[in-house]
Amino acid sequence: MERLVRVDASRVFYSFDPDIPPAAKASPGALVEFECLDALGGQIRSEEQTITSIDWSKVNPATGPLYVEGAEPGDALVVKILSIKLGEKGVVLTAPGVGGLPHLTREARTRLCRIVDDVVEFKCFKLGLRKMIGVIGTASSERAPTGTPGRHGGNLDTRVIGEGATVYLPVEYKGGLLGVGDLHAVMGDGEVCVAACEVEGEVLVRVDVLEKMAPRWPVVETSDSCYILVSEESLDSAVSTAVEETVNVLSQALCLDWYDAYMLASMTVDLEISQIVDPRKTVRARIPKSVLSTRDLLKGFSRSN
Ligand code: CA
Ligand code: CA
C-alpha cells in the first residue's frame, strides 16, 4: 500500500518563513494529508462569540510546513488536490471596519452553519457545497503572514483551488516548505464580507516537483483551464499585472509577436476576481487549455523570467 505522510493540526504556523522547521518530509509523488484548523484557529464555537473576542495571533493558521525532497530553488512545487473532507460546522462572520464594505460594517456578528452531506445550512438557506482551500503556499524571503497572498501563494482565497485542481507554486527554499489551511465549505468570488463558510477539515494531496519551472505567480490547473493568480495592493494593479503576465506568457510560449499575443488574450482570456478583502487583492486570469497547455504556460513563465 502507498505510504501516506500525515501532518496534523498541532503543527501550524503563521508566516511563510523559511526558518520554520519542517513538520514532515515527503518524496516527490507522495500522498500527503494535511489536517487543518479553520481560519479562526477553531476559537469560535458559538454565535455569541465574535471575531473581536478571540486571540488574533491564532488567526489564519496554516498546517505544515512540508519539506518535499528534491525541491530546489527555481523549481515548481506541484500540489494535486485529491480530496477535501470537511467538519460538520462552519463559521461565517463580519467584523467592523473590514471586508468589502468597511464603512458600513459596524457590528461583529457570527453565524454558525451546519454542513450536512452536500449542503451548507445558513439560516433557512441550503447552499450547495463548494469546497476549497483558502491558504496554500511555500516559504519565501518575504516571510509573509499567512493572511497575505503573494507570489508564494498564501491567502489566495481562490474558489478554483478545490478537489481535482493542481496548484503550481514557486520553490524559493530547499524543500519548498508547503503550508495548507483556511478551508471553505462555500465562498463566492470576492469573499465580500471578509469570511467564507470557514471550516476545519483534512486535505489529501499528491506532491511533485517540476525542475526549473518556478512560476512567477501561483498557477492553478483545472480540467479545462489554467489560471495565473496575481495579488497586489489594489484590484487595479492586480488586473494590470495579470494581463501583462498573461500576454507575456502567451507570447513566449506560443512564439507570438507581443501584439498578436495581446489580441489573442483579448479574445480568449477571462479576468476573474478571487478576493477583495485580504491585505492584497487577488485576480485570476483564466486561459483555456485549448489556447495554452499548463506545461507550455509554465515554460513561457520560465522563459519570460
Ligand atoms: Ca482566507
Ligand atoms: Ca477564510
Side-chain angles (χ1 to χ4, degrees), residues 190-258:
E191 202 185 13
V192 295
C193 90
V194 85
C197 180
E198 309 289 338
V199 59
E200 63 190 17
E202 287 171 352
V203 178
L204 181 68
V205 303
R206 191 181 293 282
V207 290
D208 221 325
V209 176
L210 286 176
E211 255 180 64
K212 298 191 174 65
M213 289 283 222
R216 256 208 312 282
W217 294 95
V219 168
V220 179
E221 176 180 6
T222 61
S223 57
D224 62 355
S225 306
C226 38
Y227 299 82
I228 299 174
L229 272 50
V230 172
S231 303
E232 292 196 342
E233 315 306 321
S234 75
L235 264 185
D236 280 353
S237 68
V239 163
S240 174
T241 303
V243 175
E244 187 179 338
E245 293 284 6
T246 301
V247 173
N248 286 340
V249 161
L250 287 172
S251 164
Q252 289 289 331
L254 301 174
C255 299
L256 286 175
D257 166 79
W258 187 88

Side-chain angles (χ1 to χ4, degrees), residues 39 157 182 184 191 198:
D157 288 319
D182 187 24
H184 298 162
E191 202 185 13
E198 309 289 338

Side-chain angles (χ1 to χ4, degrees), residues 141-202:
S141 50
E142 193 197 353
R143 296 175 156 76
T146 44
T148 302
R151 290 177 185 269
H152 66 291
N155 196 12
L156 294 164
D157 288 319
T158 294
R159 197 162 56 68
V160 296
I161 304 180
E163 287 178 342
T166 304
V167 183
Y168 300 81
L169 297 165
V171 175
E172 195 178 324
Y173 290 89
K174 259 175 130 35
L177 303 170
L178 174 71
V180 175
D182 187 24
L183 308 181
H184 298 162
V186 62
M187 184 192 99
D189 279 340
E191 202 185 13
V192 295
C193 90
V194 85
C197 180
E198 309 289 338
V199 59
E200 63 190 17
E202 287 171 352

